[in-house]
PDB file of all heavy atoms in Angstrom:
ATOM      1  N   GLU P1667      37.448  14.842 -94.186  1.00  0.00           N
ATOM      2  CA  GLU P1667      37.157  15.450 -95.486  1.00  0.00           C
ATOM      3  C   GLU P1667      36.549  14.430 -96.441  1.00  0.00           C
ATOM      4  O   GLU P1667      35.596  14.737 -97.172  1.00  0.00           O
ATOM      5  CB  GLU P1667      38.432  16.035 -96.092  1.00  0.00           C
ATOM      6  CG  GLU P1667      38.213  16.741 -97.422  1.00  0.00           C
ATOM      7  CD  GLU P1667      39.487  17.336 -97.993  1.00  0.00           C
ATOM      8  OE1 GLU P1667      40.566  17.133 -97.398  1.00  0.00           O
ATOM      9  OE2 GLU P1667      39.399  18.004 -99.043  1.00  0.00           O
ATOM     10  N   GLN P1668      37.087  13.208 -96.445  1.00  0.00           N
ATOM     11  CA  GLN P1668      36.504  12.152 -97.282  1.00  0.00           C
ATOM     12  C   GLN P1668      35.068  11.872 -96.884  1.00  0.00           C
ATOM     13  O   GLN P1668      34.208  11.650 -97.743  1.00  0.00           O
ATOM     14  CB  GLN P1668      37.321  10.866 -97.156  1.00  0.00           C
ATOM     15  CG  GLN P1668      38.614  10.836 -97.933  1.00  0.00           C
ATOM     16  CD  GLN P1668      39.354   9.535 -97.680  1.00  0.00           C
ATOM     17  OE1 GLN P1668      40.035   9.363 -96.664  1.00  0.00           O
ATOM     18  NE2 GLN P1668      39.196   8.601 -98.595  1.00  0.00           N
ATOM     19  N   LEU P1669      34.831  11.847 -95.588  1.00  0.00           N
ATOM     20  CA  LEU P1669      33.472  11.610 -95.107  1.00  0.00           C
ATOM     21  C   LEU P1669      32.525  12.694 -95.612  1.00  0.00           C
ATOM     22  O   LEU P1669      31.434  12.397 -96.119  1.00  0.00           O
ATOM     23  CB  LEU P1669      33.463  11.576 -93.577  1.00  0.00           C
ATOM     24  CG  LEU P1669      32.093  11.480 -92.893  1.00  0.00           C
ATOM     25  CD1 LEU P1669      31.383  10.181 -93.275  1.00  0.00           C
ATOM     26  CD2 LEU P1669      32.240  11.590 -91.384  1.00  0.00           C
ATOM     27  N   TYR P1670      32.929  13.942 -95.503  1.00  0.00           N
ATOM     28  CA  TYR P1670      32.079  15.046 -95.945  1.00  0.00           C
ATOM     29  C   TYR P1670      31.793  14.985 -97.443  1.00  0.00           C
ATOM     30  O   TYR P1670      30.725  15.415 -97.891  1.00  0.00           O
ATOM     31  CB  TYR P1670      32.726  16.386 -95.611  1.00  0.00           C
ATOM     32  CG  TYR P1670      32.623  16.787 -94.152  1.00  0.00           C
ATOM     33  CD1 TYR P1670      33.687  17.392 -93.505  1.00  0.00           C
ATOM     34  CD2 TYR P1670      31.467  16.567 -93.416  1.00  0.00           C
ATOM     35  CE1 TYR P1670      33.608  17.769 -92.163  1.00  0.00           C
ATOM     36  CE2 TYR P1670      31.365  16.929 -92.093  1.00  0.00           C
ATOM     37  CZ  TYR P1670      32.443  17.534 -91.475  1.00  0.00           C
ATOM     38  OH  TYR P1670      32.347  17.893 -90.159  1.00  0.00           O
ATOM     39  N   HIS P1671      32.726  14.442 -98.228  1.00  0.00           N
ATOM     40  CA  HIS P1671      32.551  14.383 -99.678  1.00  0.00           C
ATOM     41  C   HIS P1671      31.937  13.072-100.163  1.00  0.00           C
ATOM     42  O   HIS P1671      31.814  12.859-101.372  1.00  0.00           O
ATOM     43  CB  HIS P1671      33.888  14.615-100.384  1.00  0.00           C
ATOM     44  CG  HIS P1671      34.347  16.042-100.347  1.00  0.00           C
ATOM     45  ND1 HIS P1671      35.124  16.557 -99.323  1.00  0.00           N
ATOM     46  CD2 HIS P1671      34.114  17.075-101.193  1.00  0.00           C
ATOM     47  CE1 HIS P1671      35.364  17.836 -99.542  1.00  0.00           C
ATOM     48  NE2 HIS P1671      34.763  18.177-100.673  1.00  0.00           N
ATOM     49  N   ALA P1672      31.543  12.195 -99.249  1.00  0.00           N
ATOM     50  CA  ALA P1672      30.953  10.912 -99.637  1.00  0.00           C
ATOM     51  C   ALA P1672      29.591  11.107-100.292  1.00  0.00           C
ATOM     52  O   ALA P1672      28.889  12.090-100.047  1.00  0.00           O
ATOM     53  CB  ALA P1672      30.815  10.017 -98.403  1.00  0.00           C
ATOM     54  N   ASP P1673      29.212  10.134-101.123  1.00  0.00           N
ATOM     55  CA  ASP P1673      27.891  10.155-101.762  1.00  0.00           C
ATOM     56  C   ASP P1673      26.805   9.643-100.817  1.00  0.00           C
ATOM     57  O   ASP P1673      25.668  10.123-100.847  1.00  0.00           O
ATOM     58  CB  ASP P1673      27.907   9.281-103.025  1.00  0.00           C
ATOM     59  CG  ASP P1673      28.938   9.749-104.036  1.00  0.00           C
ATOM     60  OD1 ASP P1673      29.057  10.971-104.221  1.00  0.00           O
ATOM     61  OD2 ASP P1673      29.623   8.884-104.620  1.00  0.00           O
ATOM     62  N   GLU P1674      27.151   8.651-100.008  1.00  0.00           N
ATOM     63  CA  GLU P1674      26.225   8.072 -99.032  1.00  0.00           C
ATOM     64  C   GLU P1674      27.008   7.741 -97.772  1.00  0.00           C
ATOM     65  O   GLU P1674      28.214   7.455 -97.833  1.00  0.00           O
ATOM     66  CB  GLU P1674      25.586   6.772 -99.554  1.00  0.00           C
ATOM     67  CG  GLU P1674      24.893   6.872-100.890  1.00  0.00           C
ATOM     68  CD  GLU P1674      24.422   5.512-101.407  1.00  0.00           C
ATOM     69  OE1 GLU P1674      24.060   4.649-100.566  1.00  0.00           O
ATOM     70  OE2 GLU P1674      24.425   5.305-102.625  1.00  0.00           O
ATOM     71  N   VAL P1675      26.326   7.744 -96.648  1.00  0.00           N
ATOM     72  CA  VAL P1675      26.938   7.358 -95.367  1.00  0.00           C
ATOM     73  C   VAL P1675      25.903   6.532 -94.593  1.00  0.00           C
ATOM     74  O   VAL P1675      24.718   6.869 -94.603  1.00  0.00           O
ATOM     75  CB  VAL P1675      27.349   8.592 -94.527  1.00  0.00           C
ATOM     76  CG1 VAL P1675      28.015   8.142 -93.220  1.00  0.00           C
ATOM     77  CG2 VAL P1675      28.277   9.506 -95.321  1.00  0.00           C
ATOM     78  N   PHE P1676      26.368   5.463 -93.945  1.00  0.00           N
ATOM     79  CA  PHE P1676      25.453   4.733 -93.077  1.00  0.00           C
ATOM     80  C   PHE P1676      26.194   4.108 -91.904  1.00  0.00           C
ATOM     81  O   PHE P1676      27.416   3.939 -91.926  1.00  0.00           O
ATOM     82  CB  PHE P1676      24.633   3.688 -93.839  1.00  0.00           C
ATOM     83  CG  PHE P1676      25.414   2.531 -94.421  1.00  0.00           C
ATOM     84  CD1 PHE P1676      25.716   1.403 -93.663  1.00  0.00           C
ATOM     85  CD2 PHE P1676      25.801   2.536 -95.762  1.00  0.00           C
ATOM     86  CE1 PHE P1676      26.407   0.334 -94.205  1.00  0.00           C
ATOM     87  CE2 PHE P1676      26.482   1.467 -96.322  1.00  0.00           C
ATOM     88  CZ  PHE P1676      26.786   0.362 -95.537  1.00  0.00           C
TER      89      PHE P1676
END
Side-chain angles (χ1 to χ4, degrees):
E1667 182 179 4
Q1668 282 178 280
L1669 174 62
Y1670 283 140
H1671 286 89
D1673 301 319
E1674 306 174 33
V1675 182
F1676 66 85

